[in-house]
Amino acid sequence: MTQFIKLLARNQLALAGGIILSIVVLVSILVPILPLQPPDVTNTADRFMAPFSEGHWLGTDHLGRDLLSRLLWGTRLSLAVGAAAAIVAAVIGSAIGIVAGYFGGTTDNVIMRGVDMLMAFPYILLALAIVAALGPGLMNALIAVAAVNIPFFARNIRGITVGIAHKEFVDAAKLAGKGHLTILTTEILPNVVPVIVIAMSTTIGWMILETAGLSFLGLGSQPPQADLGSMLGEARSALITNPHTSVVPGLMIFIIVMSINLLGDGVRDALDPRLRSGALSRPKPTTTVARQSSPPHGPGEGVLDIRELETQFHVGKRVFKAVNQVSLNIEPGECLGVIGESGSGKSVTALSVMGLVASPPGVITGGAVFHGGQDLVGARYSTLRRLRGDKVAYIFQDPLSTLHPLIRVGEQLAEAIRVHHPVGKAELRQRAIDLLNDVRIPNAESRVDSYPHEMSGGMRQRVAIAMALANEPEVIIADEPTTALDVTVQAQVLSLLDDLRREHNVAIMFITHDFGVVAQLCDRVAVMYGGQIVEQGTTDDILANPAHPYTRKLMECVPELGAGRRELAAIPGLPPAVDDLPPGCAFAPRCHKAQAECTKAPIEMTRGGGRAVRCLYPETKLVEEEPA
Amino acid sequence: MSLALQLDDLSKTFPVGKPLFGPAKAHVRAVRPVTLQVETGETLGIVGESGCGKSTLARMLVGLLPPSTGEIKIEGHRLNNANPAEFGRSIQYVFQDPISSLNPRKSIRSILEVPLKRLHGMNAEARRARISEIFASVNLREEFLERYPHEFSGGQAQRIGIARALAANARIMVLDEPVSALDVSVQAQVLNLLARLKGEFGLTYLFISHDLAVVEAVSDRVAVMYFGAVVEVGKAEKIFAAPRHPYTNLLAGSAPVVGRPLTPPEAKGTELPDPLNPPPGCPFAPRCPKATEICRDVDPPLEQMGEDQFAACHHPLDA
């Protein structure tokens, strides 16, 4: 709640709207005890007095009634009717929406088609029809305005409810013995209340306007009772001769609706989690670079050389050290596995290479990434853009979200090529077909015209691989490319990747959490934990003799097929939070070998025999480097 | 041995493209008739790839989905009215996604209180005592009770989910991919906790997973599902070592194993048959290396093969 108020206060327009509205509301609450003249007493002798006249600050209207008094009483009435209409519309509309969204199926269909019919009428026509049926009067105007706005709430809330009704916690509540009504009120309602509040705060101003509109037409408040709409309506005939009688209520409507809308927008921005997390602040095209020390010197070894890379996320005052002093290099045609659990920094390392970490909040704070003698960290956007997808290509986990759903896969492949190489249309199509053939998609000639949704998950991932291969890259960075796939499909995609890297001599940086996959595909492995590489070496060495206690423990945790029923090994405790890393070894709190020294200072990498380990008490001693 | 759970010809068909009034245009058979028995105190593993119907089966077992045909007997009693509250007392469910199975706007204590209050009608005092007891048995500190779901890691949240299932005091638990959203190092913590609870409370588990190695490690028996039907059932230690159904063999051969060279397990397409237009014969026939004419015409029934292994195949593999 305090966070909500803080966020709201940061928005100056919303704050101003809130202050003005509070004053208006406060004054209209106090109207009965303010020393005002009676609003309905006519005195035709004093009609149309100008503002600032004696005894009448805002002048008088066509019947000589005090405008200030009428304005304040009218504001009080308009606010009350508008707010009441909003509450009625919100309660009924939300109830309809929740019921339709929760029960779904035919119930949903019938209710929502009814709501659609209500929406098909122009709102003012519908309101007029309701008032015509019920007869004029403020209460009937309120009913009409509420009824007209029910569909808005019903549709909004139904959409939100549909998403919530399929959440597992609703199923869990059913299994815990709750009935439909209890689930609706205690499980679903608390989750939709913020949306109802948002919808109300943005529509209440609109409803005040609509009530004023009906009163203006003489269908709302009846004389002599004043509300803002009827005041305008009565002043209409004197608009030219005595404009102040229209301007006064008109200005008041403007002030109320404007301040409500400003406040409402602020409430929405502060309550909506998507807007709060900054989804509207679009990330920059490359990650921000703010290196605190001079970067390592090039030109770097191999096709991709990551040196002492540090990537952090700055969220408010908290600093998440996602990647900390990571050094990796990949030789041409080599497959390097990067293995780690969630939050170990493996994906952020991969995204940092081409400056793809979202900024804000991501910042590269140190290190360098060399490719072809050039440091990619801090390279200009145009340079990165030229290299992205050309020399360095990515494959991501979920092919459904990386392929554009409305464009045929052939055109997406062609686009990937066209961005980097000027090639004719016919040739592009042929290249796309060749690429699909390369990734063993049967009937490539017809598949090239398919949309992504027409393909299975495995096929889509093959298309994504084809796209990565489109420009004959030197490095492919594959971020958990088979995690979303079934095992039988995974086996095929892995063997395809293995064949392709030999055929095209492309280096692969393969990010995964699965030792089985690493063992089958990768030449070398780097194990990450808490944002650091804790062990690096050839796959065979590491799998046969893991040196870091974490690697060893992690391998013991992986159940292997064929060993029968058994107790599985577990690592006690939880992975560290990267905004609160211990000063020494990040694994020390969970490590059975940890000593006091392990927790004092950062542990350096020990190298030997083509391996490296970041541990003071490794499981196996590394072979000393023999002098050449 | 008493039976904890008996399924007879249980199946589920979903209508597709149903207009507002009138019958649906087509039907998808998510689960084809399944007959299975689970003994008291047993862990039955259910494996299969996405879309094989294992989650639909699980949701029918706990009454979240009404079955289209067949019946479910829990401890000898027929409970077929698809009323989750009535099911809740004897069979409970642990969900795949630990975070989304907890209402974000409720404290852990109020989440755990619901089954105690609704299913067992306990008073406030008894609830407090029981919650402390359950929380201790899933290795969580009592101070966590007043917190909200977003403050927990996946492993902790899954333990809260298990605590909720325990609170209902059911003797059968359906575990739907309970560890697939967790990291490997945490996964084993939860699996070992489940094993301990089973011994402590004499529970019966249905363990659903796509990870063969995990299923093998925790199960007594395993049922393999393909395209909505059980194609093979057998002892956990034997079913992957000596599969009789070619699909089980394919699954076992596809799991990445340290030390096995990378060879594509099958050359043919991996597309599942179209569920709107299922083939007349064995649905695995288009992918099967041993398929013959009869496979494409007649869907094989589940038959006993060997001592305690059943497979649905015209040309089973040698034991």
Side-chain angles (χ1 to χ4, degrees):
Chain A
M1 193 65 202
T2 42
Q3 196 204 359
F4 165 71
I5 292 172
K6 231 186 264 171
L7 276 167
L8 193 61
R10 218 170 50 191
N11 185 339
Q12 289 179 353
L13 281 174
L15 189 67
I19 291 170
I20 295 172
L21 187 66
S22 314
I23 294 170
V24 172
V25 169
L26 191 73
V27 169
S28 40
I29 288 171
L30 295 178
V31 162
I33 58 165
L34 288 180
L36 291 168
Q37 298 172 25
D40 299 333
V41 174
T42 55
N43 178 5
T44 34
D46 288 344
R47 63 199 292 256
F48 291 130
M49 281 174 74
F52 309 111
S53 337
E54 177 96 38
H56 303 285
W57 284 1
L58 292 179
T60 55
D61 67 0
H62 62 290
L63 294 175
R65 295 172 294 197
D66 181 49
L67 261 185
L68 178 68
S69 171
R70 279 185 76 75
L71 179 75
L72 293 184
W73 281 100
T75 303
R76 180 182 157 92
L77 195 61
S78 286
L79 274 180
V81 171
I87 289 168
V88 170
V91 169
I92 298 176
S94 303
I96 291 173
I98 289 180
V99 168
Y102 175 74
F103 288 101
T106 312
T107 318
D108 181 32
N109 238 330
V110 170
I111 292 180
M112 293 322 287
R113 291 306 78 80
V115 166
D116 286 347
M117 273 191 261
L118 213 54
M119 272 197 123
F121 292 102
Y123 87 94
I124 196 78
L125 199 67
L126 188 59
L128 284 174
I130 293 172
V131 175
L134 298 176
L138 203 52
M139 207 46 172
N140 295 343
L142 189 156
I143 292 170
V145 170
V148 165
N149 282 286
I150 283 172
F152 170 79
F153 283 94
R155 289 174 70 109
N156 245 338
I157 301 306
R158 174 194 169 264
I160 304 292
T161 308
V162 166
I164 294 171
H166 290 103
K167 286 260 166 86
E168 292 176 335
F169 67 77
V170 175
D171 286 340
K174 286 182 194 162
L175 289 172
K178 285 190 172 183
H180 289 313
L181 190 66
T182 338
I183 290 176
L184 283 177
T185 50
T186 62
E187 301 282 337
I188 303 220
L189 187 64
N191 284 290
V192 296
V193 160
V195 187
I196 299 177
V197 172
I198 293 168
M200 258 180 83
S201 65
T202 47
T203 48
I204 187 164
W206 182 236
M207 294 202 212
I208 290 174
L209 272 186
E210 285 172 6
T211 326
L214 286 177
S215 291
F216 176 81
L217 296 174
L219 299 169
S221 80
Q222 297 303 306
Q225 194 179 37
D227 85 336
L228 296 175
S230 64
M231 284 174 74
L232 265 184
E234 287 163 5
R236 183 183 42 180
S237 52
L239 184 64
I240 306 298
T241 51
N242 293 288
H244 72 274
T245 49
S246 327
V247 168
V248 166
L251 261 180
M252 191 48 129
I253 292 178
F254 171 78
I255 288 172
I256 292 174
V257 175
M258 195 70 197
S259 62
I260 287 177
N261 286 350
L262 287 175
L263 180 68
D265 283 356
V267 169
R268 185 196 58 205
D269 290 358
L271 275 181
D272 194 327
R274 278 175 308 149
L275 299 173
R276 188 161 54 197
S277 62
L280 284 191
S281 56
R282 264 191 301 164
K284 296 200 287 184
T286 64
T287 310
T288 310
V289 177
R291 285 188 278 208
Q292 272 129 19
S293 54
S294 59
H297 290 291
E301 291 166 30
V303 65
L304 193 70
D305 194 357
I306 302 174
R307 296 247 197 105
E308 295 159 31
L309 183 73
E310 284 183 20
T311 305
Q312 305 181 341
F313 292 95
H314 295 185
V315 181
K317 288 201 179 81
R318 292 162 81 187
V319 174
F320 296 82
K321 293 181 179 165
V323 176
N324 199 1
Q325 293 284 325
V326 164
S327 298
L328 285 171
N329 80 305
I330 307 173
E331 298 297 326
E334 185 190 33
C335 180
L336 171 75
V338 179
I339 193 164
E341 297 180 89
S342 51
S344 63
K346 53 191 194 305
S347 290
V348 180
T349 306
L351 292 173
S352 300
V353 169
M354 279 284 131
L356 290 173
V357 179
S359 272
V363 184
I364 296 178
T365 50
V369 176
F370 293 107
H371 169 79
Q374 191 179 14
D375 182 7
L376 299 181
V377 173
R380 292 152 56 106
Y381 173 56
S382 55
T383 313
L384 283 176
R385 195 173 156 188
R386 208 179 60 236
L387 292 171
R388 284 176 186 173
D390 189 23
K391 296 289 178 219
V392 182
Y394 281 86
I395 305 170
F396 294 101
Q397 179 173 339
D398 180 7
L400 194 55
S401 64
T402 47
L403 294 176
H404 195 297
L406 298 178
I407 301 179
R408 296 173 200 276
V409 294
E411 283 170 43
Q412 298 193 49
L413 285 168
E415 187 190 15
I417 302 170
R418 198 169 51 223
V419 168
H420 296 287
H421 306 282
V423 183
K425 212 170 174 187
E427 200 192 332
L428 277 176
R429 186 178 165 85
Q430 190 50 48
R431 289 268 288 272
I433 293 171
D434 291 347
L435 283 167
L436 293 182
N437 274 323
D438 272 359
V439 293
R440 327 275 191 262
I441 287 183
N443 307 327
E445 282 82 3
S446 61
R447 278 300 194 179
V448 76
D449 292 321
S450 300
Y451 288 99
H453 69 88
E454 295 170 333
M455 304 179 127
S456 67
M459 284 297 160
R460 282 196 291 262
Q461 196 59 295
R462 282 163 200 257
V463 173
I465 293 172
M467 200 176 285
L469 286 172
N471 296 305
E472 298 280 321
E474 291 169 12
V475 194
I476 291 180
I477 298 176
D479 190 353
E480 306 244 14
T482 58
T483 307
L485 306 177
D486 280 322
V487 270
T488 54
V489 183
Q490 164 171 299
Q492 294 184 335
V493 170
L494 287 178
S495 84
L496 170 71
L497 274 175
D498 198 44
D499 290 350
L500 290 176
R501 83 170 163 116
R502 289 175 213 289
E503 282 168 27
H504 297 255
N505 196 36
V506 56
I508 299 180
M509 180 170 163
F510 195 95
I511 292 156
T512 179
H513 65 276
D514 190 333
F515 269 106
V517 172
V518 162
Q520 291 189 315
L521 187 67
C522 301
D523 307 310
R524 281 192 304 131
V525 186
V527 183
M528 287 192 75
Y529 187 79
Q532 289 194 310
I533 292 179
V534 294
E535 178 163 11
Q536 206 179 118
T538 63
T539 310
D540 295 341
D541 279 350
I542 288 187
L543 290 177
N545 287 307
H548 200 284
Y550 171 67
T551 318
R552 187 194 182 88
K553 283 279 177 192
L554 190 62
M555 283 169 60
E556 285 171 3
C557 287
V558 182
E560 250 179 54
L561 196 61
R565 197 190 158 111
R566 64 206 174 270
E567 178 97 339
L568 295 166
I571 306 180
L574 295 170
V578 287
D579 60 333
D580 185 24
L581 286 171
C585 172
F587 187 61
R590 300 172 78 185
C591 183
H592 66 292
K593 299 174 91 175
Q595 306 288 327
E597 307 164 69
C598 296
T599 57
K600 280 184 185 132
I603 314 292
E604 292 300 317
M605 274 283 197
T606 321
R607 287 167 207 281
R611 301 179 60 172
V613 62
R614 201 184 286 277
C615 182
L616 297 176
Y617 307 99
E619 302 277 315
T620 44
K621 274 266 176 273
L622 301 188
V623 191
E624 288 296 319
E625 213 94 289
E626 283 180 31
Chain B
M1 265 304 205
S2 62
L3 283 184
L5 195 63
Q6 162 126 28
L7 319 179
D8 284 316
D9 282 332
L10 197 66
S11 78
K12 183 70 195 175
T13 308
F14 289 109
V16 178
K18 192 182 178 314
L20 186 49
F21 301 105
K25 291 192 192 97
H27 294 273
V28 168
R29 301 184 86 180
V31 175
R32 296 185 291 151
V34 167
T35 301
L36 265 181
Q37 285 102 33
V38 189
E39 285 172 8
T40 307
E42 186 186 31
T43 299
L44 175 72
I46 298 178
V47 295
E49 297 184 282
S50 49
C52 74
K54 53 190 194 301
S55 286
T56 308
L57 179 67
R59 291 171 61 81
M60 284 196 284
L61 292 183
V62 295
L64 285 172
L65 265 182
S68 301
T69 67
E71 63 176 29
I72 306 162
K73 274 190 194 149
I74 294 174
E75 291 164 339
H77 299 288
R78 208 186 128 173
L79 281 172
N80 229 353
N81 52 359
N83 173 9
E86 193 181 324
F87 277 72
R89 269 186 285 271
S90 34
I91 188 163
Q92 274 293 337
Y93 200 90
V94 174
F95 294 88
Q96 174 172 5
D97 183 346
I99 302 285
S100 90
S101 70
L102 303 174
N103 190 336
R105 301 204 168 254
K106 291 196 173 284
S107 73
I108 303 306
R109 182 184 293 282
S110 61
I111 289 173
L112 292 182
E113 280 200 321
V114 179
L116 298 177
K117 198 157 57 180
R118 296 263 162 188
L119 297 175
H120 298 286
M122 286 183 171
N123 63 26
E125 196 53 45
R127 289 204 299 264
R128 182 168 285 274
R130 179 89 177 107
I131 285 176
S132 302
E133 199 181 303
I134 295 166
F135 230 51
S137 66
V138 295
N139 298 336
L140 287 173
R141 291 203 299 276
E142 220 166 297
E143 68 199 61
F144 287 175
L145 281 170
E146 314 308 329
R147 298 197 189 167
Y148 287 83
H150 67 92
E151 297 174 60
F152 294 95
S153 70
Q156 288 170 327
Q158 195 55 292
R159 278 189 249 175
I160 294 167
I162 293 169
R164 172 173 55 195
L166 284 177
N169 213 6
R171 290 164 302 285
I172 310 169
M173 269 198 210
V174 177
L175 310 164
D176 189 0
E177 306 256 11
V179 295
S180 62
L182 307 180
D183 271 322
V184 186
S185 73
V186 183
Q187 167 177 318
Q189 292 175 5
V190 172
L191 290 176
N192 293 338
L193 170 72
L194 284 170
R196 183 169 61 73
L197 293 174
K198 187 183 161 190
E200 237 169 75
F201 299 104
L203 301 170
T204 305
Y205 285 160
L206 261 93
F207 191 100
I208 299 170
S209 179
H210 68 280
D211 188 331
L212 303 193
V214 167
V215 166
E216 189 196 49
V218 302
S219 306
D220 297 302
R221 283 193 307 145
V222 175
V224 180
M225 288 187 74
Y226 182 75
F227 198 60
V230 174
V231 295
E232 185 159 10
V233 190
K235 291 265 185 221
E237 62 269 23
K238 272 180 71 186
I239 191 163
F240 298 122
R244 307 301 300 265
H245 197 286
Y247 177 64
T248 316
N249 192 40
L250 170 68
L251 272 184
S254 303
V257 173
V258 176
R260 185 164 67 193
L262 192 59
T263 44
E266 57 179 338
K268 297 181 186 179
T270 53
E271 309 277 321
L272 285 169
D274 181 3
L276 284 170
N277 186 18
C282 171
F284 187 61
R287 295 168 71 180
C288 185
K290 302 185 77 170
T292 57
E293 212 42 56
I294 183 169
C295 301
R296 281 180 271 272
D297 293 335
V298 184
D299 196 3
L302 202 62
E303 280 170 12
Q304 185 154 12
M305 296 185 186
E307 200 184 329
D308 38 25
Q309 205 153 337
F310 296 78
C313 185
H314 293 297
H315 309 292
L317 302 167
D318 298 326

